[in-house]
Amino acid sequence: MANYLRTKSGAIMKNFEVAGKNPSEEAQRRWREAVGAVVKNRRRRFRNIPDLDQRSTTQAKLTRVKTRRRETQERLRVAILTKAAALAFTDAAGGKPKYHLSDDVISAGFQISPEEISSVSRDHKIDSLTKHGGIPGISHKLGVNLQHGVKTSEIEIRQAIFGQNQYAEKPQRSFWQFLWDAFQDLTLIILIICAVVSVTVGFAKEGFPKGCYDGVGIIFTIFLVVTITAVSDYRQSLQFRDLDKEKKKISMQVTRDGCRQKVSIYELVVGDVVHLSIGDQVPADGLLISGYSLVIDESSLTGESEPVPISEKNPFLLGGTKVQDGSGKMLVTAVGMRTEWGHIMEALSNDEEDETPLQVKLNGVATIIGKIGLFFAIVTFIVLMGRFLADKAAHSSLTNWSFNDAITILNFFAISVTIVVVAVPEGLPLAVTLSLAFAMQRLMDEKALVRHLAACETMGSVTCICTDKTGTLTTNHMVVDKLWLCEINKSTQSTDVLKELKEVISDKVFDILHESIIENSGSEVVRNKNGTHTVMGTPTETALLEFALELEKSIQIKAKECKKLKVEPFNSDKKKMSTIISLPNGENHAFCKGASEIVLQMCDKIIDKEGNTIEMTEDQRKTISEVIDGFACDALRTLCVAYKDLGAENDSDIKGEEIEMPNDGYTFIALFGIKDPVRPGVKEAVKTCHDAGIMVRMVTGDNINTAKAIAKECGILTEGGLAIEGPEFRSKSSEEMKELIPKIQVMARSLPLDKHTLVTNLKKLHDEVVAVTGDGTNDAPALHEADIGLAMGIAGTEVAKENADVIIMDDNFTTIINLAKWGRSVYINIQKFVQFQLTVNVVALVVNFISASTTGSAPLTIVQLLWVNLIMDTLGALALATEPPNEDLMTRPPVSKSDDFITKVMWRNIIGQSMYQLIVLGILIFAGKHLLGMNGPDAENTLNTFIFNTFVFCQVFNEMNSREMEKMNIFKGIFNSWIFSSIILSTVIFQVILVEFLGDFANTVPLSWNLWLYSILIGSVSLITGAILKFIPVHSTKDVGSGHDGYEPIPSGPDSV
């Protein structure tokens, strides 16, 4: 039977397949069409599913905005090239707009209107900027000192005048809207109409209240179902709203009150001085104050992929764009809805997230079951009507119709509609959303911010994690541990080491060493309000600057006033940073620091103990290489610093961009060994991955010996595993890569392109489900290509975060394991719920159909069926779809993408439990009175109540059974989920109330204590049935090593259960 059902449903389910990431519109439209009309409440079912037509409209709107921006830029370019064209353009536009200062602006002390200042950057008005006196003039009119920034006391008045940096968003849905959505269920509306007719007729025939019980009972039950459904949906929406707020949290570095500090992007005001670096999102429109090699990616705003250099000639920065290279400081001139990006964000706020593969699969399951249920409902109505007409024909009353006959037919119709209510599992697709919302909320508490719903479930199928080293496997708290200077190798952990070095090395060496660190840095030493100093920047830069500060303190070095002429910031492609500075004496020096092997190759000289520059011998080069390897084998990150004397420059007005950065001829200064300890728990987390069938690969830009040492310490590099360098990996052919990639455990000195190539090949050639970590701007392609992109929350740039599916907020590898655990939990929890719901579906359908066919009536009334539907749908989803994960989940291989969602194990349990319940209920329907010794006028009502009570308790105990589909111990951790325990208890309590106190409405009669005991005992036999079923072997069609259905084999001993 199971094989037949699987074969028949397989063809239909082909229509319900979408990719977990970036699904095609064709696939999305295909499954929507396949759902057809078998949907009770289309409004609720598709509430969390994007409207593709509306999305197309939104995209068209965004395209028009970007086209308008490109056209504006083109007009401005033409206007700048030709003065005549500029005048013609101005005349055609009707002259320059005139701006007036309002009384509010004047009283606040500002000399420029919000409209005018926002137009300067947005429209790239270089003439207007010049007219206002350039950046200094604009800052003066905004009442801000560019060195000290705005004052905190001015924030509120600036927000009142110039606006807040927030965008118009779609208003949140209220609880009453969710209640209204829940009422849109067509079957419930039909039942309400039937109930109203029943109340009207009953009142006319039997008066109040006796004649109204049936109809009022139905209406009350529907109201209960709708209310509980709406409460569940509303709570979900609140969870998603909280998560959405977390996704939008971006912090920026600003100067306020003379101090550099972090503030939320939403707290920025016009006049703020914002610090930008590689990977940052430009938070608002503004003007460049100063910067080095600043290049902006405006594709998100204009659609153009060509990056835009920002300089004094083109100082305009637009909100929503990204810093592709360089660094700089900007003056904010427009925020929120006064920016072009504000209007784009307003349009995007109406866009919804793509459906997940599991949601689509369960829509397919719901469609198949719905069609079966609809068939059974129609057949049940036909059978009931047939028996009714046959009975009338037997009594020769086919031509004699009474009011009671009409009520009977109406009741037959209502029962059939109720069967549809129970049979169409509307809650299946919605259970996925419920489970994902619950998991995402819990993951948020565990420092993982899931940006896309599908990522949470896809993580359960991950077979490979490509992880960075620094900050993910290590603490990212770096300190200089060793120093090689003037052929002296020293550990810096001793407090007197610098004083010892001073005795043998001249001050000139320390001056140039200090200069090479302080002047060639992308980080900054900032003064706090309490007078202390803090280093703001990357951990590596911080370690070096802290060492430089210690130099100043121990050796009394005074920093010189130098002018930076050109800066090439560090990026993961070049693996070095270079700066050209002008010294007070007029000399120019080029400084370079970066990956030790790269910087060493650029050097042909070395500084001696007296501070003199001498030629580097081959022996010295060999010695330095050996020291590099030694530091690396001690798991230290190696970094070299060097400089080149460029001599004096005669032209004092020479621009930085006119100077060429040298690539050779440097003088070697020093080699640093920077310690970055492995995070506690990482080794155990890697072992957990291996036990779970997840391969962990380290991809790092570090020296290969450093990488190998860390990888061995973490348990990543194992016997037979391969450690390879990026250049060697890139040199391999496609065939060589295909053979090599499965063996790679460590890739050192890699470029972002190497990571992208590795991820692509793992997916396409080896059918792996790949998760990849990244923190830099250049990691964005790999994060986007991977099945799961994991961006670092602390070290990660905004570009990396935007391209990621999950943000690891504590940058900890252990958090990734928690993510995988929750991903598996979501998948298996939904399977538990589906198993439970399908069992109830099968039993309810068959019992009502057989009873209607044989006795002419249904044993379960409308109210009772609605209560059963509530138990198996909303309450069942809450109980089973929100169970927290257990440690056993990470002892199983990942769920294969090709596995059937409803597994053989599930079919075994569904069929076994259904057969038990059908046999028991069948015996009670046909022989219950005799077996239980029921006599008297209430025997029929008592038996039907007992059948209903027994049926409900079978579901209660089967709900417990569903907690474990393979293991015997179904009670393990049952109290860890308070939701499950509460729902089971609530179900039992309300069942008692329904039977004992609401009999007039629910068509029940109070039961004796022994009948209650029998109901509970018969229901509890479901537990024994479940245990017996687990001894029936179920063999997978695939080898366990190549795929997995999500479960362990049958337990073989007490430790396994």
Side-chain angles (χ1 to χ4, degrees), residues 145 163 309 382 388 406 408 459 485 516 537 568 572 599 605 962 1032:
N145 184 309
I382 292 171
F388 176 71
T408 301
M459 200 64 199
L485 178 68
S516 69
E568 287 186 356
S572 48
V599 175
K605 302 177 187 68
S962 298
I1032 300 174

Side-chain angles (χ1 to χ4, degrees), residues 444-557:
M444 186 71 211
D445 297 335
E446 296 184 17
K447 305 299 181 185
L449 174 59
V450 180
R451 297 183 70 248
H452 301 132
L453 273 177
C456 201
E457 68 182 52
T458 305
M459 200 64 199
S461 301
V462 163
T463 58
C464 169
I465 299 174
C466 297
T467 177
D468 292 330
K469 176 186 75 68
T470 305
T472 309
L473 300 173
T474 59
T475 61
N476 214 20
H477 181 70
M478 300 191 188
V479 292
V480 175
D481 187 69
K482 291 185 178 180
L483 172 68
W484 191 90
L485 178 68
C486 297
E487 303 190 56
I488 299 174
N489 192 346
K490 282 283 186 181
S491 170
T492 60
Q493 297 307 300
S494 169
T495 54
D496 296 327
V497 65
L498 292 177
K499 292 178 181 177
E500 292 173 9
L501 287 172
K502 191 176 187 321
E503 293 177 359
V504 293
I505 297 176
S506 74
D507 290 345
K508 188 177 178 182
V509 174
F510 287 111
D511 282 341
I512 197 72
L513 176 62
H514 178 267
E515 216 170 69
S516 69
I517 297 172
I518 294 292
E519 300 299 339
N520 186 30
S521 177
S523 299
E524 188 177 346
V525 180
V526 298
R527 180 175 59 83
N528 300 318
K529 292 181 180 179
N530 58 8
T532 60
H533 288 81
T534 301
V535 179
M536 303 193 77
T538 64
T540 306
E541 296 263 27
T542 300
L544 290 176
L545 284 175
E546 285 175 348
F547 178 80
L549 292 174
E550 187 61 32
L551 272 179
E552 292 179 8
K553 180 181 174 182
S554 300
I555 307 183
Q556 306 300 313
I557 297 176

